Amino acid sequence: MKAILSCTLLFLALAANISGQTAPITADEAHHRAEALLKQMTIEEKVGQMNQSSGIVMPLLASEKPDNLIVQGKVGSILWLIDVKEINRLQHLAVDKSRLHIPILFAFDVIHGYRTVFPIPLAMAASWDPGVEEAAQHLAGEDARAAGIRWTFTPMVDIARDSRWGRIVEGAGEDPYLGAAMARAQVRGFQGESLGPDSVVACVKHFAGYGAAEGGRDYDSSYVPEELMQNVYLVPFHAAEQAGAGSFMSAYMDLNDVPATGNHWLLTDVLRKQWGFKGFVVSDAWAVGALQTHGYAKDPEDAAFKAVTAGLDMDMASLTYPKYLAGLVHSGKVKEAQLDAAVLPILEVKYELGLFDHPYVDESKVDSTLSRPEGRELERKVAARSMVLLKNDKHTLPLAKSIKKIAVIGALADSVRDIEGGWTVEGLFGGGSKSNPVTILAGLKNKLGPGTEINYVAGPSPVRLFPSLFDAISGTKPPPPPTDAEIAESIAKAKAAAAGADVVIAVVGETAVMSSESASRASMELPGIQQQMLEAAASTGKPLVLVLENGRPVDVQWASKHIPAILEAWYPGTEGGNAVADVLFGDVNPGGKLPISWAHSAGEEPLYYNHNLTHEPEDRPNFTSRYWDVSSKPLYPFGYGLSYTSFKFDHLRLSKTTMTTGDATEVQVDVTNTGKLAGDAVAQIYIHQRWGSASRPVRQLKGFKRIALQPGETQTLKFTLGKDELEFWSPQTKAWAVEPSTFDVWAGEDSTASLHAELSVTE
Ligand code: NOJ
């Protein structure tokens, strides 16, 4: 922990050196300047600020040359452009040649790193350490800013209760409390305490309910009643808004039959009126135009009308605003005041970022900033901190460094393309990752040196099962599926390598493109022939360690019964292979915990721990809520994760066991390291309200802390249960309130914790 903190401080110091040329201006000053500028703008120039052009397709779609559009003040922001020279050239056109000299805000999806790629967001949530997520996003922001990107489409805070949905990889999992903590951390990481010349503007997405897509099919409609929106799906959004996020992104899908991009309730009633949001809202890509596709808008003009009057300030790439908005104002259908309300926060953000004073990138510093070695050092720590030990029978792990012969099995073990996960800026738009990532095979070699023989059997890449998917993402011809002969040969080689080794390390999972946008799966089974290779290796009886590289839970029912040790490594990022080796060989004791409930199989989804109680829960004798074929409980519960040491939780006590609704109680619990190694525990506090104006979930996370403990050491941790933790939005009263009731309180290592206390809350 200390090491991580000192890294964070180092980066903050470094950040001050890299930037710092521009004195920050206050929000008030930014507001006054923006207001003054707005008064000079024509309707067309206002619409220009509300247009975000797409760097890749701008030249193809626009009727006029992009340069002309910029000079005419018709482009407020550009996304999907990372060529620094081109960024500067276009910025010069805007600043030098347009009438009002308004700089362009360049945007990109810096989701978990720019050149140094951090673990996927789901993994960082598994660290249960908002501090490391903040440090990682701070560094990502530094890199992005050095490369000219001042606005990132992060954090993605969609609650995901269904692992079939591929975008579960981009968020913090299923829980609103953990999700809110990670949302705040990311906003702080990119923006700092407030927007200023060192900030990259955060964009909270996808507003809202996107993760509730029916059947886990990406983009499909969500039907979410208001009580679920308020108590679950909106919680991390509100937390990010309160942390000062400068922008929001509307989601693609229909929410309760009204597409989110044209949804007045979301964009105006909740975001502006209930929460008082002062930033601006951009649509998801092409989503304004898609209001027609949804069958909500009559035609593109109606789409522009419906979006802008719902409260959508900027059109990402669909060119609907630039084509129709000025006409709608001239004809009186849309009031100019509506444009002013949209443009003002966009200009304010540009002023707060210092873009008017320093619009250009210092091209000479880009490469040295992006290749700072401190970035990789931090990445390795964050990656190891995010890993979750799912199983470790008979102390199989950590492995001894003196092992002489290791068999490594699985194509993912040496896949440069997959170790960093799906969102790599330069990987996607720069024609290949420039970070030179360390694969798991390379990490093992680095750790062990020449004294250990490593016999590697890759087998066919799991993506070869899905040739069409591979084709769509890469634009290259898909490799053919493996032939029967190749399959038989790979399985035989895996078995032979295992038979000749002291220890087998099998690396299995999904390729990175399998869990991302438009990447839902109906089955959680390991794709390709990974399962067969695994079973062949296990049949030798050699000690076997399973390392998972994936962005969503996969079906490990067989492995959970037959393999002694399972480590969830996720897509661990640029230094991922070294981090995996650190954990496997005990240089780092794993302390990550699952931010999701891990199902047995896809048929159980959606699956989440904070569900309501049925009248016949599964553990009653008859007519219970159950499946014939699997337990309706998860294989591994939310919050779960092992360590190489063990912990004891006791003396759960409340400062008040009875209190009134306006009061708060302190919760204390003692946590002791009862094993022989130093390690991290994550203390978790759950509550349940026994009765009230609505049924409440069986458990809800309401506090957590990750702490480092030496063997034998005990720490007493303190948490608070007050208004923020006990209140909920009731469908009966349509309001937030703490209700008189009896509350169960649990403390422990995961969502099944049994250490219990009771709290009575009276009027
Ligand atoms: C579509 C995705 O849904 C969104 O998350 C992303 O930020 C935009 N494209 C821009 O790349």
Side-chain angles (χ1 to χ4, degrees):
M1 181 64 185
K2 268 190 194 149
I4 299 272
L5 282 179
S6 59
C7 265
T8 314
L9 293 176
L10 190 84
F11 285 121
L12 294 176
L14 201 71
N17 276 338
I18 291 168
S19 56
Q21 323 93 327
T22 316
I25 68 169
T26 63
D28 269 358
E29 221 175 314
H31 176 70
H32 293 312
R33 288 201 208 171
E35 264 190 331
L37 181 56
L38 192 61
K39 290 202 178 104
Q40 303 171 46
M41 292 171 77
T42 63
I43 289 171
E44 284 69 20
E45 283 165 337
K46 288 176 188 175
V47 173
Q49 290 304 306
M50 298 167 73
N51 172 35
Q52 182 176 56
S53 284
S54 136
I56 18 168
V57 292
M58 186 164 64
L60 307 175
L61 289 186
S63 47
E64 283 191 70
K65 281 210 162 98
D67 288 14
N68 292 345
L69 294 173
I70 291 171
V71 170
Q72 290 163 26
K74 290 185 176 168
V75 178
S77 172
I78 293 179
L79 85 156
W80 298 327
L81 179 69
I82 59 165
D83 175 343
V84 177
K85 283 197 173 12
E86 184 65 359
I87 286 178
N88 271 344
R89 189 185 75 79
L90 297 180
Q91 191 68 297
H92 268 290
L93 287 178
V95 174
D96 304 339
K97 304 261 171 69
S98 75
R99 189 179 75 91
L100 293 172
H101 315 289
I102 305 176
I104 295 169
L105 182 54
F106 287 92
F108 207 93
D109 291 278
V110 183
I111 307 293
H112 49 113
Y114 191 96
R115 177 164 299 164
T116 300
V117 182
F118 289 96
I120 51 161
L122 188 65
M124 288 202 269
S127 72
W128 289 60
D129 183 352
V132 292
E133 173 121 43
E134 183 175 339
Q137 297 298 38
H138 184 76
L139 189 120
E142 283 294 333
D143 284 0
R145 192 160 53 82
I149 303 299
R150 298 303 304 275
W151 181 19
T152 178
F153 302 128
T154 314
M156 191 279 223
V157 304
D158 295 307
I159 295 291
R161 295 172 147 192
D162 188 335
S163 306
R164 294 171 299 176
W165 188 55
R167 299 200 80 170
I168 192 171
V169 64
E170 286 173 67
E174 74 189 35
D175 185 66
Y177 188 88
L178 180 63
M182 293 301 169
R184 280 189 289 267
Q186 297 193 68
V187 173
R188 278 195 306 267
F190 280 110
Q191 298 191 169
E193 285 308 317
S194 58
L195 277 182
D198 293 341
S199 307
V200 168
V201 187
C203 185
V204 191
K205 70 187 188 185
H206 306 83
F207 197 56
Y210 185 40
E214 284 194 324
R217 289 178 299 274
D218 201 13
Y219 312 136
D220 218 332
S221 306
S222 297
Y223 290 94
V224 189
E226 185 170 2
E227 54 271 26
L228 209 50
M229 287 301 286
Q230 297 283 6
N231 290 314
V232 177
Y233 286 93
L234 291 176
V235 172
F237 285 95
H238 196 193
E241 189 276 327
Q242 289 186 323
S247 71
F248 267 55
M249 183 188 292
S250 70
Y252 276 131
M253 79 304 148
D254 268 350
L255 174 70
N256 303 332
D257 288 346
V258 181
T261 297
N263 193 310
H264 191 274
W265 177 76
L266 271 178
L267 301 181
T268 298
D269 298 344
V270 173
L271 187 58
R272 301 277 177 199
K273 293 190 181 152
Q274 283 178 24
W275 298 352
F277 176 60
K278 296 277 182 287
F280 64 93
V281 184
V282 66
S283 71
D284 203 335
W286 297 290
V288 176
L291 292 180
Q292 187 188 0
T293 325
H294 277 278
Y296 181 62
K298 183 174 156 223
D299 50 33
E301 184 183 42
D302 190 35
F305 173 78
K306 284 192 161 130
V308 80
T309 51
L312 194 282
D313 305 316
M314 190 184 280
D315 172 359
M316 184 191 286
S318 87
L319 298 175
T320 316
Y321 277 7
K323 279 189 194 141
Y324 301 100
L325 211 44
L328 285 166
V329 178
H330 289 303
S331 70
K333 271 195 88 181
V334 169
K335 294 199 173 58
E336 192 168 350
Q338 183 92 54
L339 296 198
D340 292 350
V343 176
L344 191 68
I346 298 170
L347 295 177
E348 283 170 350
V349 162
K350 290 186 178 184
Y351 276 113
E352 285 175 82
L353 290 177
L355 266 184
F356 282 85
D357 300 321
H358 290 280
Y360 308 113
V361 189
D362 183 344
E363 292 173 30
S364 70
K365 291 205 177 127
V366 179
D367 264 328
S368 57
T369 305
L370 294 189
S371 43
R372 288 174 290 168
E374 302 92 312
R376 296 187 77 113
E377 240 170 70
L378 178 66
E379 204 294 300
R380 184 166 175 169
K381 291 198 170 96
V382 178
R385 216 168 164 72
S386 303
M387 290 178 197
V388 183
L389 185 63
L390 294 176
K391 188 177 175 194
N392 194 21
D393 279 0
K394 297 191 190 131
H395 301 289
T396 306
L397 290 175
L399 299 170
K401 288 179 192 152
S402 55
I403 293 176
K404 288 283 164 266
K405 280 179 129 188
I406 297 182
V408 176
I409 289 172
L412 288 171
D414 200 29
S415 170
V416 174
R417 187 158 178 258
D418 294 303
I419 190 90
E420 293 184 323
W423 274 116
T424 60
V425 176
E426 292 177 319
L428 283 174
F429 282 79
S433 173
K434 296 195 177 133
S435 62
N436 196 12
V438 181
T439 65
I440 294 176
L441 183 66
L444 293 171
K445 287 182 180 161
N446 293 342
K447 178 70 72 189
L448 296 168
T452 306
E453 187 187 321
I454 298 183
N455 189 2
Y456 178 47
V457 180
S461 164
V463 85
R464 289 174 60 185
L465 192 74
F466 303 103
S468 62
L469 175 69
F470 188 82
D471 194 28
I473 302 281
S474 71
T476 56
K477 200 169 177 304
T483 60
D484 288 350
E486 196 184 344
I487 291 173
E489 192 192 333
S490 300
I491 293 172
K493 277 189 175 167
K495 190 168 175 176
D502 302 325
V503 168
V504 185
I505 298 174
V507 181
V508 304
E510 296 181 331
T511 58
V513 292
M514 280 181 205
S515 53
S516 55
E517 190 175 341
S518 177
S520 302
R521 288 192 65 200
S523 151
M524 289 167 56
E525 280 170 23
L526 290 171
I529 62 162
Q530 297 181 101
Q531 183 70 30
Q532 288 116 292
M533 287 177 67
L534 183 62
E535 289 184 23
S539 70
T540 61
K542 289 295 169 75
L544 206 154
V545 174
L546 188 66
V547 177
L548 295 170
E549 189 176 302
N550 51 325
R552 62 146 77 83
V554 284
D555 185 339
V556 289
Q557 291 182 82
W558 184 89
S560 70
K561 289 194 199 99
H562 299 101
I563 307 288
I566 306 177
L567 177 70
E568 172 55 86
W570 314 104
Y571 299 116
T574 303
E575 283 285 324
N578 285 330
V580 167
D582 288 342
V583 172
L584 292 182
F585 289 90
D587 291 330
V588 174
N589 188 350
K593 309 284 163 191
L594 291 177
I596 28 132
S597 302
W598 191 293
H600 295 84
S601 68
E604 261 183 293
E605 299 289 355
L607 183 72
Y608 46 96
Y609 82 97
N610 46 359
H611 55 84
N612 286 6
L613 202 57
T614 82
H615 76 294
E616 291 290 7
E618 193 190 34
D619 30 25
R620 299 230 183 135
N622 287 310
F623 287 98
T624 64
S625 170
R626 56 102 198 234
Y627 298 101
W628 279 112
D629 34 13
V630 283
S631 160
S632 56
K633 296 206 167 117
L635 178 61
Y636 299 116
F638 173 81
Y640 169 84
L642 302 171
S643 164
Y644 297 153
T645 187
S646 51
F647 301 101
K648 189 172 110 202
F649 283 66
D650 58 11
H651 297 122
L652 176 62
R653 53 218 187 260
L654 308 182
S655 62
K656 292 169 200 152
T657 51
T658 301
M659 65 179 204
T660 58
T661 50
D663 212 348
T665 182
E666 191 179 79
V667 178
Q668 289 196 24
V669 65
D670 297 343
V671 188
T672 305
N673 181 342
T674 49
K676 294 195 177 72
L677 293 170
D680 285 6
V682 178
Q684 302 167 37
I685 301 292
Y686 293 88
I687 64 161
H688 167 60
Q689 179 177 335
R690 288 200 197 154
W691 66 82
S693 70
S695 305
R696 303 301 298 138
V698 289
R699 286 193 184 202
Q700 291 177 278
L701 180 71
K702 289 297 175 183
F704 67 89
K705 226 169 254 174
R706 179 166 176 159
I707 50 164
L709 288 173
Q710 293 301 318
E713 186 186 347
T714 300
Q715 272 187 39
T716 299
L717 299 181
K718 291 182 187 159
F719 301 88
T720 302
L721 291 179
K723 175 178 172 294
D724 288 349
E725 292 76 23
L726 301 178
E727 70 176 352
F728 77 102
W729 192 93
S730 169
Q732 306 263 30
T733 60
K734 307 227 174 290
W736 289 89
V738 178
E739 296 184 346
S741 187
T742 301
F743 288 82
D744 296 295
V745 181
W746 294 272
E749 291 188 84
D750 62 48
S751 55
T752 66
S754 55
L755 189 63
H756 180 258
E758 227 175 89
L759 170 66
S760 167
V761 176
T762 58
E763 278 303 345

